[in-house]
């Protein structure tokens, strides 16, 4: 394995050179003078680059930078918010006064007095995520050349008619200060590389696809080149054409109950939808009901709801190395933490921000506040929500498969559907292998698994050990009105679940 240095980094000078302290002093002083009992300022800079190739040719290269600041205040228990793109102290003071005006205007309509959980003061704190090579320091032609090389490896294989290749890179920088005395500067980098091979059958008017399974991650360019040894790009690109050719000829699945071994590359999405969203406290008390729904896992069931079998241990984590939702501090100045959401199969916790923690009777937030832009209000967002592996035995995926007489091994995510209470769902995948007598016996097609959340997790007989644990995730988790997007990771081992209902998607589509 390659050795890649993750030496301590500082926040980019370009961001640190902004008048951060001056903006905070102007905004917080003006907010207090205007009558705010609490105020915070957040300067937010988001730098993105998206590169996309089709059949080795560049389709698009898009670069963007979003920079601005926001001021939140509390006046007599009511929130006020305002933002601006002009980073001058005079504008910061005016924006703070405008936020106070917003709070004062809304005070008569407010039925829920805002009370924030306490948090220690972090004066002059700095945090930078773990990466070796900042992707924004790599010349764009070098990135394009690497994607072209990867594309050519797929295109050269028989049966591959088209190839798409892409990488999305993000650098996010935030300065936070509040009237309690915290002043925090942080920077995180994340990226998502992906290649997809397409085979076309003109006579049947049909096509099939197969893509890489490398998850988006809070890593640097070393992840895309493979220099960190985390992902075997050469090995996967070499095997995708044969997997694709086999998938095209595979028999269709017979619907009905089946035992499943589910790979982490598929299971992370089931965790996201059926656990991650379901344990967001704002959803559980109805805050998202008008847009994204609520949750079956309501607070009156905390400590009693049997979510799954006793081997089920799920954590929320803002500290997981390389996680997409990993931060030093959230957008309310709360330090990153790790805590239990489900322990021994029972619901024991929620994801919270500083305003929701007191409502649940807790003294402290677990740091789940985030806004994707200076011009959006921070809301409660998802932490890295992960299913823990077996702490006692390092059971392999092959060992889980060996326990199945007749079933299916599922690899990679694809489409999904879940109801507004995060309870009834179905998921498909990239590859499906039939299991016969404890061994893989070729691919199947047209597979989807369907269950309710508690039935599915209540059917989990075994979890793999630490060697099977992988961090998956997504860049595009949507929430709120106006809509916001957040990146989040979900780690999990391989699992064995018994008697899950299998649908034939081809038959269902008729």
């Amino acid at each position: 394995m390659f050795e890649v240095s993750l030496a301590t980094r500082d926040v980019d000078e370009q961001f640190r050179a902004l008048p951060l302290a001056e903006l905070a002093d102007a905004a917080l002083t003006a907010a207090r003078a205007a009558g705010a009992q609490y105020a915070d300022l957040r300067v937010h800079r988001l730098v993105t680059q998206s590169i996309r190739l089709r059949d080795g040719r560049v389709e698009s290269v898009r670069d963007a930078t979003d920079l601005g600041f926001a001021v939140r205040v509390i006046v007599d228990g009511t929130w006020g918010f305002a933002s601006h793109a002009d980073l001058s102290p005079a504008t910061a003071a005016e924006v703070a006064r405008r936020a106070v005006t917003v709070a004062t205007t809304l005070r008569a309509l407010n039925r829920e007095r805002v009370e924030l959980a306490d948090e220690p003061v972090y004066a002059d704190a700095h945090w930078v995520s773990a990466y070796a090579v900042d992707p924004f320091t790599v010349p764009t032609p070098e990135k394009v050349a690497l994607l072209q090389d990867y594309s050519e490896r797929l295109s050269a294989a028989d049966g591959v008619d088209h190839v798409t290749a892409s990488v999305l890179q993000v650098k996010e920088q935030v300065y936070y200060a509040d009237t309690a005395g915290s002043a925090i500067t942080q920077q995180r980098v994340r990226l998502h590389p992906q290649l997809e091979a397409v085979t076309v059958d003109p006579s049947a008017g049909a096509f099939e696809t197969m893509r890489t399974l490398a998850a988006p991650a809070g890593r640097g360019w070393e992840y895309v080149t493979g220099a960190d040894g985390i992902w075997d790009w050469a090995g996967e690109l070499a095997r995708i054409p044969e997997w694709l050719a086999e998938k095209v000829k595979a028999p269709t699945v017979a619907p009905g109950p089946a035992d499943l071994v589910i790979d982490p590359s598929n299971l992370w999405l089931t965790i996201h939808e059926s656990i991650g969203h379901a344990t967001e406290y704002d959803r559980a008390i109805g805050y998202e009901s008008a847009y994204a729904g609520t949750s079956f896992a309501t607070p009156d069931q905390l400590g009693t709801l049997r979510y799954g079998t006793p081997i089920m241990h799920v954590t929320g984590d803002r500290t997981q190395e390389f996680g997409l939702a990993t931060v030093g501090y959230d957008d309310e100045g709360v330090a990153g933490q790790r805590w239990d959401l489900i322990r021994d199969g029972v619901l024991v916790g929620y994801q919270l921000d500083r305003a929701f923690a007191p409502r649940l009777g807790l003294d402290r937030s677990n740091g789940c506040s985030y806004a994707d832009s200076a011009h959006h209000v921070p809301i409660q967002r998802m932490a890295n929500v992960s299913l823990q592996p077996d702490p006692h035995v390092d059971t392999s995926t092959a060992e889980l498969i060996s326990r199945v007489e007749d079933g299916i091994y599922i690899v990679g995510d694809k489409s999904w559907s879940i109801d507004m209470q995060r309870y009834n769902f179905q998921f498909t995948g990239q590859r499906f292998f039939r299991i016969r007598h404890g061994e893989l016996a070729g691919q199947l097609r047209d597979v989807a698994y369907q269950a309710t959340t508690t039935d599915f997790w209540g059917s989990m007989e075994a979890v793999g050990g630490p060697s099977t644990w992988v961090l998956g995730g997504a860049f595009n988790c949507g929430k709120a009105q106006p809509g916001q997007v957040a990146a989040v990771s979900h780690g999990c081992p391989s699992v064995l679940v018994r008697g899950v209902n299998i649908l034939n998607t081809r038959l269902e589509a008729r």
Side-chain angles (χ1 to χ4, degrees):
M1 180 177 292
F2 293 93
E3 292 293 330
V4 177
S5 173
L6 297 178
T8 302
R9 292 182 170 273
D10 201 354
V11 178
D12 290 354
E13 172 61 25
Q14 186 178 12
F15 186 71
R16 289 187 288 118
L18 297 173
L20 304 174
E22 293 87 345
L23 291 170
D25 182 62
L28 301 180
T29 299
R32 286 195 195 97
Q37 289 81 50
Y38 167 88
D40 61 42
L41 169 131
R42 177 174 46 89
V43 181
H44 188 273
R45 182 172 184 257
L46 195 70
V47 183
T48 61
Q49 184 183 64
S50 172
I51 302 174
R52 181 176 175 84
L53 281 66
R54 179 176 170 82
D55 296 332
R57 296 183 178 181
V58 176
E59 269 196 340
S60 63
V61 177
R62 296 188 177 92
D63 294 273
T65 299
D66 181 73
L67 175 62
F69 75 92
V71 179
R72 289 193 317 171
V73 301
I74 298 176
V75 179
D76 294 335
T78 302
W79 281 120
F81 175 86
S83 67
H84 210 283
D86 175 31
L87 302 187
S88 70
T91 301
E94 177 56 36
V95 168
R97 288 189 285 268
R98 190 188 318 151
V100 171
T101 299
V102 170
T104 303
T105 303
L106 294 176
R107 183 169 49 195
L109 302 176
N110 185 19
R111 296 182 180 180
E112 298 177 352
R113 184 178 179 84
V114 177
E115 300 288 347
L116 298 185
D118 290 335
E119 181 69 15
V121 171
Y122 308 99
D124 195 27
H126 292 72
W127 180 86
V128 180
S129 64
Y131 58 91
V133 181
D134 181 345
F136 292 93
T137 65
V138 180
T140 298
E142 185 176 324
K143 300 174 191 174
V144 170
L146 181 62
L147 293 179
Q148 287 176 325
D149 174 49
Y150 287 171
S151 296
E152 288 168 2
R153 298 186 198 189
L154 287 176
S155 298
D158 291 339
V160 175
D161 296 298
H162 298 287
V163 175
T164 59
S166 64
V167 61
L168 176 59
Q169 307 151 156
V170 178
K171 180 187 288 182
E172 188 169 24
Q173 298 157 326
V174 176
Y175 174 78
Y176 170 91
D178 62 31
T179 48
S182 286
I184 300 164
T185 310
Q186 56 185 352
Q187 172 174 296
R188 53 182 176 149
V189 166
R190 54 187 179 267
L191 46 74
H192 187 192
Q194 184 171 280
L195 288 97
E196 183 174 65
V198 182
T199 184
V200 180
D201 181 353
S203 62
F207 69 93
E208 191 56 81
T209 64
M210 187 75 68
R211 60 174 168 77
T212 52
L213 300 182
R219 297 180 180 271
W221 191 247
E222 68 279 359
Y223 181 48
V224 189
T225 63
D228 57 4
I230 297 300
W231 199 258
D232 180 11
W233 291 97
E236 185 177 31
L237 293 173
R239 295 209 62 188
I240 281 178
E242 64 183 73
W243 283 324
L244 182 57
E246 183 184 4
K247 185 177 181 180
V248 169
K249 299 175 182 178
T252 193
V253 70
D259 297 337
L260 307 179
V261 175
I262 304 180
D263 191 79
S265 57
N266 179 273
L267 190 65
W268 75 264
L269 184 56
T270 309
I271 291 170
H272 177 88
E273 298 297 341
S274 69
I275 303 174
H277 280 304
T279 58
E280 292 176 311
Y281 185 71
D282 60 344
R283 290 187 63 114
I285 61 174
Y287 270 58
E288 282 283 292
S289 58
Y291 173 60
T294 57
S295 170
F296 77 95
T298 50
D300 59 298
Q301 302 178 85
L302 188 65
T304 60
L305 175 62
R306 174 57 65 181
Y307 221 102
T309 55
I311 61 173
M312 186 181 188
H313 179 203
V314 179
T315 58
D317 196 344
R318 297 283 268 170
T319 67
Q320 173 67 52
E321 191 173 38
F322 308 118
L324 295 172
T326 298
V327 293
Y329 308 86
D330 76 350
D331 282 354
E332 293 182 322
V334 178
Q337 301 159 52
R338 182 180 188 267
W339 69 99
D340 287 344
L341 293 168
I342 299 166
R343 185 174 57 246
D344 300 329
V346 176
L347 175 69
V348 295
Y350 286 100
Q351 302 165 73
L352 301 156
D353 62 17
R354 290 182 68 181
F356 285 129
R359 295 185 56 163
L360 197 59
L362 300 178
D363 295 330
R364 189 185 181 202
S365 162
N366 47 38
C368 291
S369 178
Y370 173 73
D372 66 358
S373 163
H375 308 298
H376 285 159
V377 178
I379 58 173
Q380 185 261 295
R381 294 308 311 257
M382 199 182 299
N384 302 306
V385 174
S386 298
L387 175 68
Q388 298 306 306
D390 189 329
H392 307 294
V393 182
D394 193 11
T395 305
S396 68
T397 302
E399 289 175 294
L400 295 178
I401 291 171
S402 71
R403 301 181 191 181
V404 177
E405 182 65 20
D406 190 358
I408 303 171
Y409 174 48
I410 301 176
V411 179
D413 65 274
K414 201 168 186 180
S415 65
W416 56 273
S417 176
I418 193 166
D419 72 11
M420 298 295 274
Q421 286 196 309
R422 325 312 290 185
Y423 194 62
N424 295 280
F425 64 67
Q426 65 182 46
F427 292 87
T428 62
Q430 284 286 315
R431 300 190 288 274
F432 309 93
F433 297 89
R434 186 174 183 183
I435 304 172
R436 296 205 65 183
H437 311 304
E439 295 183 351
L440 299 185
Q443 288 192 58
L444 294 168
R445 295 186 67 181
D446 313 315
V447 180
Y449 61 94
Q450 178 191 53
T452 67
T453 294
T454 52
D455 282 348
F456 177 82
W457 295 109
S459 300
M460 186 168 65
E461 181 179 290
V463 296
S467 64
T468 74
W469 197 90
V470 177
L471 198 63
F475 262 40
N476 59 344
C477 177
K479 189 176 178 181
Q481 293 175 293
Q484 298 193 37
V485 174
V488 60
S489 292
H490 303 286
C492 56
S494 297
V495 302
L496 168 60
V497 287
R498 298 286 189 183
V500 178
N501 189 42
I502 294 298
L503 303 177
N504 183 303
T505 56
R506 184 182 300 180
L507 296 177
E508 293 291 326
R510 290 179 180 175

